[in-house]
Structures are given as C-alpha cells and as structure tokens.
C-alpha cells in the first residue's frame, strides 16, 4: 500500500517510536513513485539518529533533504533553516519528520500557521514496545501534549510497533490490539501498521493495511 | 522479570537506578547525557524520590556527598566535561568512604570538545579522577541491557566497599535504543549503613563522615587500609567477556561501543578464516588482568580498539609485559571506528591479504 493522502505529511510521536525510520521510508517511496519529494528534518532535540544523518541515501535516491543548520555536528541546538516555510507552501510532496514528544513538537509549532494553510496529514506514530507508551492511555496522553505544543491536530495513527533487532511476526501481531485501542480512544483512523521486510510477506493476510518498511536507522556496527 | 520494552540507553540508566532503590538524583544537564536527568525529573516526584537540578556539576557532586554521607542510595550523571568539574567532589567522596553512583556518558574532548561519542575519559575514570591516592569502581557496559544489569551491581559493590562507582558509558550507548527487560524493583534501603551520619537519636555515638585528617599518621593508616580493600576488589571483582578467544591468535581488547564494532569485525574476519577473538573488559577498574594473562601464551598479538588516541592500551601493555606485541587502533573526536576499519587492522596483523 501507499499510505499518504495529502501533499504534506507530518510525522510526529513519542521519542523513539521510529518516526525517522518511517519518514525515510515514506520519502523514498514517494521518490520511487517518481514524485518530487522533500524530507524536512525538524528534529532539534535529538543529537543522534536523525533524518539529516541519512541524507546520503536519501539524496542518492532523489529525495531532497532540508535539515536544521549544523545537524549532525557538535552543535547542541541546531537552528532551523529559512527554506522550511517555502518547502511547506510549495507545490511538491513534503514529509516533515518531527522531534519526539511535546519538546520536539515545539519546532513544529513554529510552522503551525503555514501548515494549517496547506491541510497536512498529521500522522501520530505509536510503538507498543516503547517504554512509557506501552499502554494505549499513555500513548493518547502524549498525543495530547504534542497537539497542544504544535497547535496542530493529528489526522491518523500509524502503528510502528517494533523491538528493533528483536522484532518478530509475533511482536507485530501482538501490537494490533494496542493500536486499535489508541485509534478508538482518540477517534483517529489507524492508517497502517508497518512491518519490516521480509516479515511483511507472512503477515500480509493477517493484519489489515500493512506498510512494508526497510530499516535504515541502525547503530554503526549493525 | 518483566516484558521487553524499547529503551534509550540513557533512560535505561535512570529506570535501572530507580529499580535498584535509588531515590536521590542530583545533576546538571549536558549532551549526550541529558535524558538521564530528564527521565529522573519525571519519575522521581512520582515515587517519593528527590530529583534536583543543581546550579552546576560542582554543586551536584557535593549534594551527592551529602546524601551519601546520610546513608541513602544516591547518584549523579553527566558527560565528560562534567566529570572534570566533579573531580574535587569525587575525591572527597572517596576520601570519606562514601558510596555513590556516577554515570559518565562520554563525549569528544578535550575541552568543550563535542557531543558525539568518545572513550577518551578512560584514564580519567581509572587513574586520575582527582587528587589523592584512591580508586573508584569503573564499569563499562556494551548494550542497553547490560547497562541496566550493571547499575545495580555498581550500587551494591559501591555500598559493600564504601566507595564511589562509575558507569562509563558513551554517547552512542546513551542515545541508541535497544530492547531491554527491566529487573524487579527493589525497595530503598536507608537504614543498613551503620556508619552513616543520619541522626543517632541519642541511642549511639555520633558518626562523622569526613575526609580531613589532622594527623598524617592517621591519614596514612586510613589510605593503606583502603588500598588493602582495593586489593581484595582486584582479586574478586574483575569482570570481562571473552568472545572466540579459545583458538585466537589475534585478540582484540575493546569495551563499550568499540567492542560492538570489533565484534562485527571479528565475525567478518572469522569468515575469512582468521583466528581472532576479543576480551571485552566489563570492569575497567579493577582492570580484568586475569582474563588477559591466561591468553598471553597462545596469542601472537593483542589489539586495543578504542575511541581515543590510545588509553586502555597502556593497561593491556602492563599486563602483557612485553611478552607479545600490543597494537592499537582508534578514532577520536566523536568518530566511531567502523567494522571495516577494524577488519583492515585484523587483516594487517594477520600478515596482510592471503
């Protein structure tokens, strides 16, 4: 499936739910479909493992990357480049990778007016195995904090439940109920469940709306 | 045992400390360690604990000294420049026989250096943490799970020997996310330290926790007694993991993140038929001399792989004592060596491409 509906997609969620890996996959898929696509890395809170770190694979595959100035350097708090607003208001496909929690969503709030004008798809990413959000109520609480800080409303849920290198078919199957709970409490549709390749082949008929992903975000020794 | 959850190394440090009964945290934010403090600031108020962001690392470590002297399980966490600021307080803790946990999520140095991962504080942690004759226990985890397990060991051994313990992590281990199973939580134990200055209630002689000695002979006696304790620790608490060392002709010595890189390189080298293994120190002080000693006879060469200009290699050389060559490979300044680079070193030591 190709899960994106609007021209501009915002990917937000709790720290460590896998927003960056999902954003990279979405952007690469758009490029594969022949679209002009820009990945905006708005993460100014995380020093490591950010979209801008993967600029090489992204640009090699035709994705334009707009990251904070000095991302992946020794600067503690990178600044956001002026280009972001223009990219959001422009004509081509945009994926916005937001930093974790309400702290990360603060940077998103800066662009809330610009974003509201372009009717963005705001995907709230959840991971049933991520500490502090293993219960649906906790995941819902963090969504509320993100929405207040960013001054944007989520439009759908993406179930990105995984245990990194320990992810199995069972890991994903056992996360579906959790994702359904988050969906029913918030009233937001569950747009898709990500499955790292090659596990997607066996899960195809067991889970609705599977979005197969590749794992790009890895430790240097993996 | 609980369920597997995904945790960032820094969060795992905090949660593991809470599970080990720690209810007192004093610290000051610094990248790449800040998540420890951030996590503690959210959790401690919910469990009747103390989270206090001090005005500096100097203040933090002295608060640790105060709380530790009162007999509670206490910790601080920081990154490299912060440890330098804490040096004086750490010496006071050691000189007062007060246990505590200090976490150093190392970043590039010297000076302000950078925020990317490093292992350039090895000498500082194991040899020259601060002034005076003393040691602290130093533990070096290599996975998030091991970090979790090690926190409680560090607290317990620190209490047992009445000395500060340090967990020497690095930015990569602190920032990366891995699945972990958290241990069963233990209740805080604030009453078992009969030396603590926590109020005698008129029932016993008052305790004094102090590092100032007017009479030099008293001080010498105390330091000598402390060094006897250090010998006991060296004898009983050296920890290391051995990986494919049985038939190894080349043995890599690496800890923390550089051991993860080395392991990948070793697996690749083994596929080429190269007999290479690894000794991964888990305690850096006491340095796991015994683990290295027993391999000197069948090993042609040791290779210390570090994220520094070469610090632990000195300890490997001291143990090997010139019997076989001890080589070094490292990157510094926030750069992590790649498995490919380490593999190249292994191939070179094996006599080049066959």
């Amino acid at each position: 499936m190709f899960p994106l509906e609007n021209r501009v997609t915002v990917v937000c969620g709790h720290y460590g739910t896998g927003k960056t890996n999902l954003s990279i996959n979405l952007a690469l898929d758009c490029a594969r479909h022949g679209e002009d696509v820009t990945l905006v890395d708005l993460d100014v809170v995380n020093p490591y493992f950010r979209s801008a770190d993967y600029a090489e694979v992204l640009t090699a595959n035709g994705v334009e990357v707009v990251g904070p100035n000095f991302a992946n350097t020794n600067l503690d708090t990178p600044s956001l480049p002026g280009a972001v607003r223009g990219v959001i208001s422009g004509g081509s496909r945009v994926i916005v990778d937001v930093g974790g929690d309400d702290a990360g969503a603060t940077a998103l709030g800066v662009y809330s007016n610009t974003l509201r004008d372009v009717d963005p798809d705001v995907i709230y990413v959840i991971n049933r195995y991520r500490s502090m959000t293993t219960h649906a109520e906790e995941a819902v609480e963090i969504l509320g904090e993100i929405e207040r800080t960013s001054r944007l409303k989520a439009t759908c849920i993406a179930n990105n439940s995984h245990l990194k290198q320990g992810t199995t078919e069972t890991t994903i199957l056992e996360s579906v109920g959790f994702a359904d709970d988050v969906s029913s409490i918030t009233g937001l549709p569950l747009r898709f469940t990500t499955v790292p390749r090659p596990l997607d082949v066996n899960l195809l008929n067991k889970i609705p709306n599977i979005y197969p992903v590749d794992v790009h975000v890895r430790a240097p020794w993996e | 045992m609980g369920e597997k959850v995904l945790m960032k190394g820094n969060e795992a440090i905090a949660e593991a400390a809470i599970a080990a009964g720690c209810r007192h945290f004093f610290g000051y934010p610094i990248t790449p360690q800040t998540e420890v403090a951030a996590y503690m600031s959210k959790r401690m108020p919910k469990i009747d604990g103390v989270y206090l962001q001090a005005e500096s690392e100097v203040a933090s470590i002295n608060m640790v000294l105060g709380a530790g002297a009162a007999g509670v399980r206490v910790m601080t966490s920081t990154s490299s420049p912060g440890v330098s600021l804490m040096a004086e307080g750490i010496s006071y803790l050691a000189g007062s026989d007060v246990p505590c946990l200090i976490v150093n999520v190392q970043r590039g140095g010297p000076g302000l250096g950078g925020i990317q991962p490093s292992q350039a504080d090895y000498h500082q942690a194991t040899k020259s943490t601060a002034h005076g004759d003393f040691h602290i226990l130093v533990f070096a985890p290599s996975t998030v799970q091991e970090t979790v397990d090690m926190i409680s060991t560090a607290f317990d051994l620190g209490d047992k020997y009445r000395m500060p313990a340090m967990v020497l992590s690095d930015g990569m281990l602190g920032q990366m996310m891995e699945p972990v199973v958290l241990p069963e939580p233990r209740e805080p134990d604030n009453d078992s330290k009969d030396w603590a200055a926590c109020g005698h209630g008129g029932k016993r002689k008052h305790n004094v926790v102090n590092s100032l000695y007017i009479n030099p002979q008293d001080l010498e006696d105390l330091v000598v007694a402390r060094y006897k304790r250090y010998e006991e620790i060296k004898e009983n608490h050296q920890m290391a993991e051995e990986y494919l060392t049985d038939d190894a002709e080349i043995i890599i010595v690496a800890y923390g993140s550089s051991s993860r890189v080395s392991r990948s390189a070793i697996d690749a080298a083994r596929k080429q038929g190269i007999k290479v293994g690894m000794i991964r120190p888990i305690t850096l002080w006491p340095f796991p001399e015994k683990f290295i000693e027993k391999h000197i006879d069948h090993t042609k060469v040791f290779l210390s792989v570090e994220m520094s200009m070469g610090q632990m290699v000195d300890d490997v050389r001291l143990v090997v004592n010139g019997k076989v060559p001890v080589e070094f490979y490292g990157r510094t300044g926030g750069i992590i060596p790649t498995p490919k680079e380490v593999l190249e070193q292994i191939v070179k030591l094996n006599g080049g491409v066959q």
Side-chain angles (χ1 to χ4, degrees), chain B residues 174-197:
Chain B
Q175 292 296 326
M176 70 181 296
M177 197 112 32
E178 283 187 318
V180 289
V181 178
L182 292 164
E184 287 297 323
R186 287 191 272 165
E187 281 303 306
D189 162 25
N190 298 331
D191 307 317
S192 66
K193 292 168 182 161
D194 58 10
W195 51 264

Side-chain angles (χ1 to χ4, degrees), chain A residues 153-175:
Chain A
K153 289 282 176 198
T155 52
C156 67
I157 307 286
N159 178 19
N160 194 46
S161 294
H162 67 96
L163 272 170
K164 285 207 68 183
Q165 57 271 51
T167 309
T168 63
E169 285 175 27
T170 318
T171 311
I172 296 160
L173 282 168
E174 289 183 350
S175 73

Side-chain angles (χ1 to χ4, degrees), chain B residues 45-65:
Chain B
K46 292 182 185 166
I47 51 173
D48 209 18
V50 175
Y51 164 84
L52 201 153
Q53 180 175 324
E55 68 269 36
S56 71
E57 286 87 347
V58 178
S60 311
I61 197 73
N62 282 290
M63 291 173 183
V64 168
L65 172 58

Side-chain angles (χ1 to χ4, degrees), chain A residues 14-17 45-49 72-76 101-102 127-132 134 145 162-166 174 219-222, chain B residues 3-8 11 31-32 35 39 42-43 107 113-117 171-173 175-179 257 260-261 264 333 336 339:
Chain A
H14 178 44
Y15 283 117
T17 44
V45 287
N46 230 4
Y48 305 173
F49 301 113
N72 197 24
T73 69
N74 278 324
L75 209 71
D76 257 314
D101 285 356
D102 48 342
N127 179 353
R128 180 222 173 295
Y129 302 98
R130 178 65 178 116
S131 131
M132 318 267 283
T134 54
E145 291 165 6
H162 67 96
L163 272 170
K164 285 207 68 183
Q165 57 271 51
E174 289 183 350
W221 49 80
E222 285 176 329
Chain B
E3 200 187 20
K4 259 190 190 164
V5 288
L6 263 190
M7 288 189 103
K8 216 175 191 180
E11 300 165 344
T31 311
E35 293 85 2
Y39 193 95
K42 284 187 179 166
R43 284 279 279 129
R107 59 187 252 178
I115 62 171
Q116 298 296 325
M172 181 51 63
L173 290 170
Q175 292 296 326
M176 70 181 296
M177 197 112 32
E178 283 187 318
S257 283
R260 302 281 296 262
V261 173
S264 300
I336 301 178

Side-chain angles (χ1 to χ4, degrees), chain B residues 144-191:
Chain B
V144 178
Q145 183 68 59
E146 194 178 33
T147 310
V148 164
D149 301 338
M150 202 170 268
I151 295 281
S152 97
T153 310
F155 270 125
D156 289 349
L157 285 182
D159 278 355
K160 181 175 177 188
Y161 293 101
R162 286 187 62 182
M163 62 195 286
M166 177 181 281
V167 169
L168 192 65
S169 180
D170 65 59
M172 181 51 63
L173 290 170
Q175 292 296 326
M176 70 181 296
M177 197 112 32
E178 283 187 318
V180 289
V181 178
L182 292 164
E184 287 297 323
R186 287 191 272 165
E187 281 303 306
D189 162 25
N190 298 331
D191 307 317

Side-chain angles (χ1 to χ4, degrees), chain B residues 79-102:
Chain B
S79 179
S80 309
V83 179
S84 297
L85 279 165
M86 290 182 183
E88 184 196 40
I90 297 172
S91 179
Y92 277 49
L93 279 148
S96 310
D97 296 309
V98 170
C100 67
L101 176 67
I102 300 153

Side-chain angles (χ1 to χ4, degrees), chain A residues 41-47 50 68 76-80 98-99 103-104 106-107:
Chain A
D41 175 6
L42 272 196
D43 190 346
V44 291
V45 287
N46 230 4
R50 21 174 335 117
D76 257 314
T77 312
S79 58
L80 296 165
V98 185
T106 306

